[in-house]
Amino acid sequence: MTALPDFTRIEAMDAADGLRSMRERFILPSGLIYLDGNSLGVASHAAFAELQKAATEEWGQNLIRSWNTAGWFDMPLALGDRVGRLIGAAAGQTVVCDTTSINIYKALHAAMALRPDRSVIVSEGGSFPTDIYMAEGVVSTRPGASLRLEGVDAPSIEDLIDGTVAVVLVNHVNYKSGELRDMAALTRKAHEHGALVIWDLCHTAGALPVDLDGANVDFAVGCTYKYLNGGPGAPAFIYAAERHHGDISQPLSGWWGHARPFAFEKHYAAGEGIRRFLCGTQPILSLRALKGALDIWDEVDMAALREKSLGLTDLFIALVEEKCAGHGLELESPRDRAKRGSQVSFSHPNAYEIMQALIARGVIGDFRAPSTLRFGFTPLYVRYADVWQAVVILEDILRTGAWQDARFAVRAAVT
Amino acid sequence: MTALPDFTRIEAMDAADGLRSMRERFILPSGLIYLDGNSLGVASHAAFAELQKAATEEWGQNLIRSWNTAGWFDMPLALGDRVGRLIGAAAGQTVVCDTTSINIYKALHAAMALRPDRSVIVSEGGSFPTDIYMAEGVVSTRPGASLRLEGVDAPSIEDLIDGTVAVVLVNHVNYKSGELRDMAALTRKAHEHGALVIWDLCHTAGALPVDLDGANVDFAVGCTYKYLNGGPGAPAFIYAAERHHGDISQPLSGWWGHARPFAFEKHYAAGEGIRRFLCGTQPILSLRALKGALDIWDEVDMAALREKSLGLTDLFIALVEEKCAGHGLELESPRDRAKRGSQVSFSHPNAYEIMQALIARGVIGDFRAPSTLRFGFTPLYVRYADVWQAVVILEDILRTGAWQDARFAVRAAVT
């Protein structure tokens, strides 16, 4: 193993960082090392500027006329195309709307309608839970449908895929471990058995490049408030490959997905293409903050982003394992950088208290029950020096036993 | 008929208006008479203040910690209770989330699950179309289910209710005519046949008082961006009577509705009470603008609101029918004030062009195909003097034929 860099070398890494200027676009609270962009990304000047304009000019002054004059009506598709570029989707296949949970529901129904002679959904026991819950919701509305879970019904998802499977719903990056699945290989495997695939990109979009079109993916969903920095609860996105567009049906058939939404017809008629995943009226203010955040992304080279991301996570793992050795931390994320998203997780029996102590010292990561310390590394605003500083503080907390402070022992409802 | 008031009398009516001071809370664009609050309500200083705080302090500075410290997690329920007061719902029965369309989907599924031996949904052919479209979506997921429409399958909704009907989905105020249904009577009629009722309150909430609990209503939904002034696309609300809470199930079973959302369990377990209508992560910035708007509503007496609303619509009808007589306008809204919401519609063969001419002169109402001029009267910020002025301009446009200007003849995609 090569020797760890000293702090002078760390500063040189930041100085040489091609994404360095991006940090200025964001609003970083002073005194904070924010390693939780995989839960809620930070605000940006561009997001605030768009939000301000949407609120004061468009709502405040132009009111109802803004549906046309400010492009509110076309915004879900316009923003969808901009997210599309970041996930390898050619234009016209991605739309921004609703929540990830609801988009999972739409995608599952659409996929099952494309495989009417099949009844099985395959997903992951270790999925972010809402994916499973939504699959259970879909199963509840489709007589004969059932759900098979990796880690429950078989050890690996590949073992669950057979000729009865309509659709595989799977996370590209695991929310807890940060482990990356092979999108092209699993999609191919599903297609070989006649099944479709929905990729959940919540921890992918803005964290690393993917190529949905190139991997022949069927559907994808994801959120915009993590690595994309769209703002708390910003609307989610949904992708459908163009080859399916003519055959997509899904039961959340609201006015915005209608072929002629202003004709006030008495029956639903699905709009063209990806538009038919739209349903009801979207939260324009939240959408507009996201628009500002995406303005920044238009300038980002995704290969450079990935390189920086791996540089940050490689460094964090190496520093923690050297400086915090002997304190009981176990790496939960893949050591192989090719299999790692943009986060690093370590387990520790006292993970909760340690994370509380870190937060009290200005290092924001998060805790996932029962024993995971989770750290997200957003390449646009996290510096190598932040990684160094976070490890210095973590080592101090472990060495001094500061996490044993009684005030860190009370588990809050929300972590 | 009593003589029409002259302008001096109009000014006296405004001076005597008990809600007069409310207007100062809102941001009214200068030179505009805004009679479209039934499509998008105007912005308020309180909404902007909350939005600013949510963006700059809570997102910008406190980031992920705001889920606890700023009450984001409890906000859908807290705001739900405040909407509840305006619609006659005791606390714990209303939650703010998602869109009206999606909440209709949830309510329909929940109602049908409560009547498993029945298969018919009854709704209105003259409904705001998304209600019908969502009902069609629900029917598509429930084998054997069907939809009967008033005006298609029978002239009156009462004639469609029999022992096969699981649920009646009906608008309290018709979006086009402003006609009000008798909530207590129709609910009673449905219950006599063993059916449940969902009331769509999009044109009711903030327009006039209703008493959901008193009328023994089962479910209700509605939007918050019309008379409640929550902002463009602000999240909607859903109400369920407490007597149903133990038995509610609906398939949009996302993480936020889980009994233990932070335990990351592998199976869905519905939360308590109205909470089980929550699904995915809500758009916090849009929610917070709504919170500001609801701060104003906490001070409003709903009986005084109704009295002002009827004063405005009575005056508008009387002035139009006197001053614009002979120009082909026909009242589409109920003349009987007890049957009227807070809007007035007139039909005219050239309704589209006339509305364009009005908008060009600063009077914002809207057009509904094929021939309706629709005017909404929001009692919190519309003055009697505005009503007078709008009619003066309308009369001038009709008398001079100004609506025949060629630029008003092009029908835009969105009106």
Side-chain angles (χ1 to χ4, degrees), chain A residues 167-210:
Chain A
V167 55
V168 179
L169 166 65
V170 69
N171 285 263
H172 183 233
V173 179
N174 183 277
Y175 79 100
K176 200 168 170 183
S177 70
E179 185 170 353
L180 202 58
R181 288 196 193 260
D182 185 333
M183 180 177 281
L186 185 58
T187 301
R188 200 161 45 238
K189 165 94 180 170
H191 288 176
E192 282 165 9
H193 287 85
L196 301 170
V197 181
I198 302 166
W199 286 95
D200 182 331
L201 304 181
C202 281
H203 291 268
T204 303
L208 68 158
V210 274

Side-chain angles (χ1 to χ4, degrees), chain A residues 136-150:
Chain A
E136 290 180 327
V138 170
V139 165
S140 78
T141 68
R142 300 187 79 95
S146 64
L147 177 63
R148 290 183 198 156
L149 293 180
E150 180 190 49

Side-chain angles (χ1 to χ4, degrees), chain A residues 105 133 136 141 265 267-268, chain B residues 105 133 136 141 265 267-268:
Chain A
Y105 188 83
Y133 304 160
E136 290 180 327
T141 68
E265 296 176 8
H267 294 286
Y268 185 73
Chain B
Y105 188 84
Y133 305 159
E136 290 179 328
T141 68
E265 295 177 8
H267 295 285
Y268 186 72

Side-chain angles (χ1 to χ4, degrees), chain A residues 8 64 83 99 166 172 229 257 261 266 287 321 345 368 386 407:
Chain A
T8 308
I64 192 69
V83 171
T99 65
H172 183 233
N229 312 304
K266 280 190 179 24
L287 260 185
E321 293 197 333
S345 298
R368 287 291 175 261
D386 295 324
R407 74 200 150 102

